[in-house]
Amino acid sequence: MHSHRIVRGAVSALLVASALQGLSPAAAKPPAPVVAAIQADEAAAVKRLQQWIALPTIANMGVNHAEGAAHMRQLALDAGFQQGEVIKTAGVPAVFATLDAGAPTTLGVYFMYDVKHYDPKEWNSPPLEARLVDRPGEGKAIVGRGAVNQKGPETAFLAAVKAFKDSGTKLPVNLVLVAEGEEEIGSPNFPQALASPAVQAALGKAAGVFIPGASQSSTGSVSTELGAKGVIEVQLISSGEKWGRGPNKDVHSSLMASVDNPAWRLVKALNTLVEDDGFTPAIDGYFENVRPLTAREKQIIAEEVAAGDEADIKKSLGIRTWAKDENFLTSSIRLAQRPTVNIQGLVSGYTGPGGKTVLPGRAEAKMDLRLVPNMTYDEAVTKLKAHLAKRGFSDIEVVVSGGYSPTEVAEDSVMIRAAQATLNGAGIENTLSARAAGSWPGVMFTGAPLKLPALGFGAGRGGGAHAPNEWFLVDSTNPKVAGMAEQSEIYADFLYEVAKAAAK
């Protein structure tokens, strides 16, 4: 998942402090009591985040499925949602909660409560301890699995909702929360939860849906995305057993002269999926339904590139050049326009230290395919299988573990207008983004039957999602970057802007 946003205070003292820090002293929204409640709850909110990180739900490993759902439900109830229930699916449960404020506008909120797995040996700080660490030049951050993706931003949003309850202030919108525990494996069973009549009825009243996020740049700028690529999580498996050639178990490598090798067969199959440049997709018909970028989308990308810091982005990614040595603008257009075929990892034979002379009986490629409008999930899966079969690789197992089609949201929609109004009101430098290169299951809201505008939104900063030492800033020393309490304030402000935009 996955995505740059800051705030103003509301009480006069906070407004002065905000002005000194570079935040806009604009008209107070949320009201002073809500801001005061957010500030009073800040330390407790950090503790709630640490406790949540200590309870990881890992979808593909059977870790804390029931416990994670129960904890998510309780977090919603503690924040002020009036009802919350765990919805069983064929996989990890989902959570559905509602808050009726008696408002004319309803806002849908999407959470994920699962996280990627982790190897503690790769971390400088234990991944479940959620320690507070100093980040030079940035402030204090929580380090832990799920800190930024997505438990930190979600905790900040729940703290905003709780502040309305604690201060006795009525929310400007009703809330419908749907939370899943399988986002990290492509949300395979989330549609079952969304199909519940009660969920459909509640979301059917919503003006739009959003997922909290924290992706401010180091300079404090924010990019609001007009959609996201779709994704397919898939494993390609070559085995002597399915192939009918090669061993059905690992054997001595000296036999390579007379025994077929399933690992080499997988390599040769994989090599057909991309062009010789190593990254341009070569699946038959893959580009058939790709919608070219519009003139407006290209303009948005150019504006985002002009406002961005290419050197800082390269540094954060640990790269020196873009593919094909393209310039930043050309590469950014490619990033938005191009579907992808990516190898996440290769598993076969012996993978320990040193060598071990074996000929593997099995090889697996863990892959993801990113999709752009107007591609669909079903179309891409069908074309991948047909491509392999046409080249004689029908024995390669194609195991699709999850995924969904791309998401798009109109620039003039309620959600985009509310997001921009919130950011502009707070004096935050912001641009639009034609499309997120990453993915989230927004299409389950933007597509039929709901057809609601959906986006990622929030302030704050973090990094390391899916990687060791994942972090989320809770106390910012940079006046242009939001700490956790400031993030909660901007979420509260966002609720008012959604209500205002929906009333127009």
Side-chain angles (χ1 to χ4, degrees):
M1 258 349 272
H2 35 152
S3 306
H4 309 341
R5 307 31 103 198
I6 213 164
V7 295
R8 53 184 175 265
V11 216
S12 57
L14 289 170
L15 289 173
V16 173
S18 294
L20 290 173
Q21 293 176 30
L23 308 182
S24 168
K29 302 175 308 176
V34 174
V35 175
I38 288 170
Q39 299 291 336
D41 183 54
E42 183 176 12
V46 170
K47 276 225 176 309
R48 291 195 295 272
L49 174 55
Q50 290 174 312
Q51 291 166 352
W52 200 5
I53 288 172
L55 182 70
T57 298
I58 304 177
N60 63 345
M61 292 184 172
V63 175
N64 293 326
H65 288 184
E67 297 86 346
H71 190 80
M72 177 69 258
R73 174 183 175 273
Q74 194 59 51
L75 286 173
L77 293 174
D78 291 346
F81 283 82
Q82 293 140 344
Q83 74 82 32
E85 62 177 290
V86 173
I87 300 178
K88 291 183 179 180
T89 72
V92 187
V95 174
F96 165 55
T98 57
L99 193 164
D100 185 353
T105 300
T106 296
L107 174 65
V109 186
Y110 166 82
F111 274 18
M112 53 179 283
Y113 66 85
D114 62 319
V115 299
K116 280 292 188 187
H117 45 275
Y118 50 86
D119 182 352
K121 297 191 296 292
E122 298 176 341
W123 290 62
N124 297 332
S125 177
L128 300 186
E129 286 190 15
R131 290 180 183 172
L132 279 169
V133 302
D134 288 317
R135 288 187 63 84
E138 296 208 68
K140 284 199 180 297
I142 285 180
V143 174
R145 175 52 83 226
V148 71
N149 183 22
Q150 266 336 91
K151 292 179 177 179
E154 290 169 350
T155 298
F157 175 76
L158 289 176
V161 177
K162 184 175 183 294
F164 282 88
K165 181 182 77 169
D166 291 348
S167 65
T169 306
K170 187 167 286 191
L171 274 85
V173 294
N174 311 310
L175 297 176
V176 177
L177 171 68
V178 283
E180 67 160 318
E182 293 184 330
E183 196 279 342
E184 295 293 12
I185 59 169
S187 308
N189 296 294
F190 189 46
Q192 293 176 22
L194 290 181
S196 158
V199 175
Q200 283 287 306
L203 283 174
K205 301 172 185 175
V209 178
F210 96 106
I211 173 176
S215 55
Q216 278 188 281
S217 71
S218 59
T219 62
S221 64
V222 173
S223 183
T224 302
E225 293 151 348
L226 298 176
K229 289 184 177 180
V231 68
I232 298 171
E233 290 268 3
V234 61
Q235 294 81 47
L236 300 189
I237 303 169
S238 171
S239 65
E241 181 182 0
K242 291 285 185 182
W243 187 15
R245 308 183 65 87
N248 60 11
K249 61 182 180 181
D250 291 2
V251 298
H252 198 281
S253 67
S254 63
L255 295 169
M256 182 69 204
S258 58
V259 175
D260 291 306
N261 187 327
W264 274 115
R265 181 157 180 79
L266 178 63
V267 168
K268 291 185 179 297
L270 291 172
N271 200 43
T272 72
L273 301 180
V274 293
E275 304 287 359
D276 289 342
D277 60 18
F279 76 99
T280 300
I283 297 171
D284 294 337
Y286 203 54
F287 289 86
E288 180 183 1
N289 294 317
V290 168
R291 174 179 66 73
L293 291 172
T294 65
R296 174 58 180 153
E297 287 170 330
K298 289 181 179 178
Q299 178 188 1
I300 288 169
I301 294 169
E303 290 170 352
E304 189 178 17
V305 165
D309 186 334
E310 180 181 10
D312 185 59
I313 293 170
K314 284 182 173 178
K315 181 180 177 181
S316 68
L317 293 174
I319 63 171
R320 297 181 183 178
T321 63
W322 303 113
K324 293 190 172 183
D325 293 317
E326 291 175 338
N327 61 44
F328 191 24
L329 176 57
T330 303
S331 185
S332 296
I333 289 174
R334 180 188 294 277
L335 183 65
Q337 174 71 67
R338 180 65 62 89
T340 66
V341 176
N342 176 59
I343 297 174
Q344 300 174 4
L346 297 167
V347 185
S348 183
Y350 177 69
T351 59
K356 183 181 180 183
T357 50
V358 297
L359 188 162
R362 183 183 186 280
E364 176 178 344
K366 297 180 183 295
M367 306 186 69
D368 62 71
L369 282 59
R370 303 281 171 174
L371 314 178
V372 299
N374 293 319
M375 302 173 78
T376 68
Y377 169 90
D378 290 337
E379 167 207 357
V381 170
T382 299
K383 286 178 176 176
L384 171 63
K385 291 178 178 178
H387 173 97
L388 291 170
K390 182 179 177 180
R391 286 156 181 78
F393 292 110
S394 296
D395 57 281
I396 301 286
E397 292 181 80
V398 180
V399 181
V400 181
S401 54
Y404 35 80
S405 300
T407 301
E408 291 191 274
V409 57
E411 186 176 346
D412 62 354
S413 69
V414 166
M415 300 305 290
I416 295 296
R417 286 189 284 118
Q420 289 182 306
T422 306
L423 297 171
N424 291 335
I428 302 167
E429 180 184 339
N430 66 95
T431 57
L432 291 171
S433 170
R435 185 172 303 131
S439 305
W440 73 289
V443 68
M444 299 184 191
F445 306 109
T446 60
L450 293 169
K451 296 187 177 180
L452 298 170
L455 83 167
F457 177 78
R461 179 161 162 74
H466 297 193
N469 304 312
E470 181 179 350
W471 59 279
F472 174 72
L473 202 63
V474 296
D475 185 8
S476 176
T477 56
N478 182 339
K480 294 185 177 181
V481 176
M484 190 162 169
E486 293 171 315
Q487 292 170 55
S488 296
E489 290 180 41
I490 203 170
Y491 285 131
D493 196 1
F494 180 59
L495 301 182
Y496 285 94
E497 292 295 352
V498 169
K500 186 191 298 184
K504 289 183 179 178

